[in-house]
Amino acid sequence: MASDSPESLMTLCTDFCLRNLEGTLCYLLDNETLRLHPDIFLPSEICDKLVNEYVELVKTDSIFEPHESFFTLFSDPRSTRLARIHLREQIVQDQDLEAIRKQDLVELYLTNCEKLTAKSLQTLVSFSHTLISLSLFGCCNIFYEEENPGGCEDDCLVNPTRQVLVKDFTFEGFSRLRFLNLGRLIEGVNVETLLRPLASLAALDLSGIQLNDVGFLTQWKDSLVSLVLYNMDLSEEHIQVIAQLHKLRHLDISRDHLSSYYKFKLTRRVLNLFVENLLNLTSLDISGHTMLENCTIPSMEEKMGQTSIEPAKSSIAPFRGLKRPLQFLGLFETSLCRLTHIPAYKVSGDKNEEQVLNAIEAYTEHRPEITSRAINLLFDIARIERCSQLLRALQLVITALKCHKDDKNIQVTGSAALFYLTNSEYRMEQSVKLRRQVIQVVLNGMESYQEVTVQRNCCLTLCNFSIPEELEFQYRRVNELLLNILNQSRQDESIQRIAVHLCNALVCQVDNDHKEAVGKMGFVMTMLKLIQKKLADKTCDQVMEFSWSALWNITDETPDNCEMFLNYSGMKLFLECLKEFPEKQELHRNMLGLLGNVAEVKELRPQLMTSQFISVFSNLLESKADGIEVSYNACGVLSHIMFDGPEAWGICEPHREEVVKRMWAAIQSWDINSRRNINYRSFEPILRLLPQGISPVSQHWATWALYNLVSVYPDKYCPLLIKEGGIPLLKDMIKMASARQETKEMARSTRASGAWRAAAASDLHRTGAVLCPAVL
């Protein structure tokens, strides 16, 4: 199960070695085949960990690169020792098992390894003298081999893929084998013949196999302690055989009641038979069964007294004969789980959160069809009530999503449950490690499924995290996935809106390297395409506004992205949006903010020097949209253009002096105490306009901007002004003859605010006093 504890040194070292095999344990032979360094010997504790972690990484980490020759590293027992390995799904092929055939394996779990064929059966024989525990669960092709070119032999059955079923393999020679899982074994294999050579089985799983006669099980009546017959259609003969297995401690006859029609119905007599004959029983699973008759005590008696697990008070009458409470009782999707007195320490069911979590825990590995329904119940609990076992719930859902990355139902229900389990109500109870695990499985789901519900659930869950901070460790991956969603030809409106919001948040307040990297992924082009589509539809919605906002953020102090915006016809879209949506204040603010970023790049400003653009910027100086923001940003664009001097003014209309006059009028109309809808990470683009005499109006705009920000938001912007050297620049500007008197007065006020703030901070550092925000 997913853990919230810190990773062990062993785990950290294993992970590092697997991600850097060539730099640690191995070298490349002929530039393609991995070879272990000759001076290395690794014991089984390390080799087992390497193999099992490798399988996990290949399955759950899209960044991790698998190696075709990985398993050959463990081909020689003189340098590597394997004992207990768990291999899953498409990761393992016949040649991989063949590579490790000289190892003395004690435990081999092969789960849903559909690429394994009958060649691997022969490899299993290599482990026969040491193997104690073997699972072939879901290895549906392992009993198939290529069809004999000369025709099919009498002992073979032909399957649709033109392979033949091997019928002569048995576990002859597997003298130490005690634990065997054959779940979902292909139809046609004679189970009795296959198992007959095993002398003393202790545990057997025959899930999903239909056998009319199980009398052969009695050959292990003195050794069998665990029997799983999940989804086997039982009969009276089956029950009689089971009752003879008197050593059983764990019995599972549960079923998926939705999978098919079952003739067998559970009765009071059958439960009595188990209680009377299976005296060692500590675990029983009868989930999914329909009770043919009432097995409960009268309702008046059932409701009396406090809830008890004592068999004598059991609400299920046959279980009153138990000598002690069961450790586990599976009652999922039965009416019995809702009774008051159940004689078991742990119960799976749908009555409450505890039972649902027990069900997820019990069925996750091999029963995704049951697990998805249990997670759906957990989803309802988290949505409607408060989840009282949050840590356990999260860990179980994470494990299920990892284990069944390719199961659509689990991905849908699991991602939906995660949305509610990670919301702000639960945040304080979650560690950084746990929240990172959630992010990773959510991204796995987004990668594996283009299905609308999974994509929406995953995007919504990501919205529960602090962005970009909590997503930064997967920054490139999450951006690629979101851009992939937005570049799909047919899009769901709600997913598109959430994805654009996430993209916008991801490029806000990150360093320039991140922004440049995302720009190279096609971020700018993607946003412009979305804007173009909305323009074609004549729609200005959140997607349109978020797209412009995202472009504003990603071009901040990032010249390459600003250049992309211009190269991809961004100015054309700006003019069209301005014309199509003249009353959309938020849109105008976002567009002008973006153009302010473009205007800060000296090399790009000539592209803004056209009569059309300058006229538009000049007219927007008088805009009252979104307070002063549109007018302020338009003035900022023009301030940077003016900063290049009269010689750069390469247009006849409008005249430079006319635009300068309108800029002065706009600045003087603004309230210096205006609260702002803007967020500066750096004052550098503003400060560069101070020490110059080419454009006094640009100097005044910059001074006004600084004075407004340090006055209205002193806690945030006074330290930034001091840090970036703004105080001495203002001092020098005050001495400049070319500066206007009103600019100098504003500079003195700005400098005084910043200097006082610096002195206050110094006093705070010396005395440890607490400054009251109200006083400031």
Side-chain angles (χ1 to χ4, degrees), residues 112-181:
N112 295 322
C113 299
E114 296 182 0
K115 289 190 175 181
L116 296 183
T117 69
K119 291 178 182 177
S120 289
L121 287 180
Q122 300 311 311
T123 305
L124 289 182
V125 176
S126 303
F127 311 129
S128 61
H129 61 292
T130 57
L131 209 56
I132 293 175
S133 184
L134 173 65
S135 173
L136 301 178
F137 183 89
C139 299
C140 55
N141 293 312
I142 201 166
F143 280 87
Y144 281 115
E145 64 182 357
E146 290 184 10
E147 186 176 3
N148 187 331
C152 186
E153 300 292 338
D154 292 338
D155 61 348
C156 301
L157 297 174
V158 182
N159 85 337
T161 58
R162 298 195 62 79
Q163 292 180 319
V164 293
L165 187 64
V166 173
K167 298 180 68 181
D168 58 357
F169 176 83
T170 72
F171 286 109
E172 185 72 44
F174 287 73
S175 57
R176 301 187 66 193
L177 194 61
R178 298 291 181 272
F179 305 91
L180 180 60
N181 187 336

Side-chain angles (χ1 to χ4, degrees), residues 320-336:
R320 290 194 166 190
L322 291 168
K323 297 292 186 287
R324 65 194 73 81
L326 296 170
Q327 294 296 317
F328 174 82
L329 180 56
L331 299 176
F332 189 70
E333 294 182 326
T334 72
S335 58
L336 299 178

Side-chain angles (χ1 to χ4, degrees), residues 659-688:
V659 175
V660 168
K661 184 177 178 182
R662 294 178 74 175
M663 289 171 68
W664 279 108
I667 297 170
Q668 288 164 352
S669 71
W670 302 337
D671 180 359
I672 195 64
N673 295 312
S674 297
R675 300 196 70 80
R676 309 298 306 285
N677 195 355
I678 198 167
N679 187 25
Y680 282 100
R681 292 190 305 122
S682 171
F683 281 153
E684 194 277 329
I686 297 176
L687 293 174
R688 75 169 75 123

Side-chain angles (χ1 to χ4, degrees), residues 724-767:
E724 297 193 337
I727 300 297
L729 285 174
L730 288 165
K731 181 181 179 182
D732 293 343
M733 191 263 285
I734 291 169
K735 298 175 184 177
M736 293 175 64
S738 60
R740 293 266 289 254
Q741 189 60 36
E742 57 193 297
T743 307
K744 293 181 179 182
E745 289 300 322
M746 194 172 288
R748 289 189 184 97
S749 299
T750 307
R751 186 167 172 265
S753 295
W756 179 85
R757 182 71 181 176
S762 177
D763 290 342
L764 174 63
H765 179 72
R766 287 196 305 270
T767 66

Side-chain angles (χ1 to χ4, degrees), residues 204-222:
L204 181 61
D205 190 328
L206 300 175
S207 295
I209 303 172
Q210 301 307 322
L211 298 174
N212 294 326
D213 182 6
V214 292
F216 63 91
L217 294 177
T218 57
Q219 75 179 89
W220 304 296
K221 65 181 180 180
D222 295 324

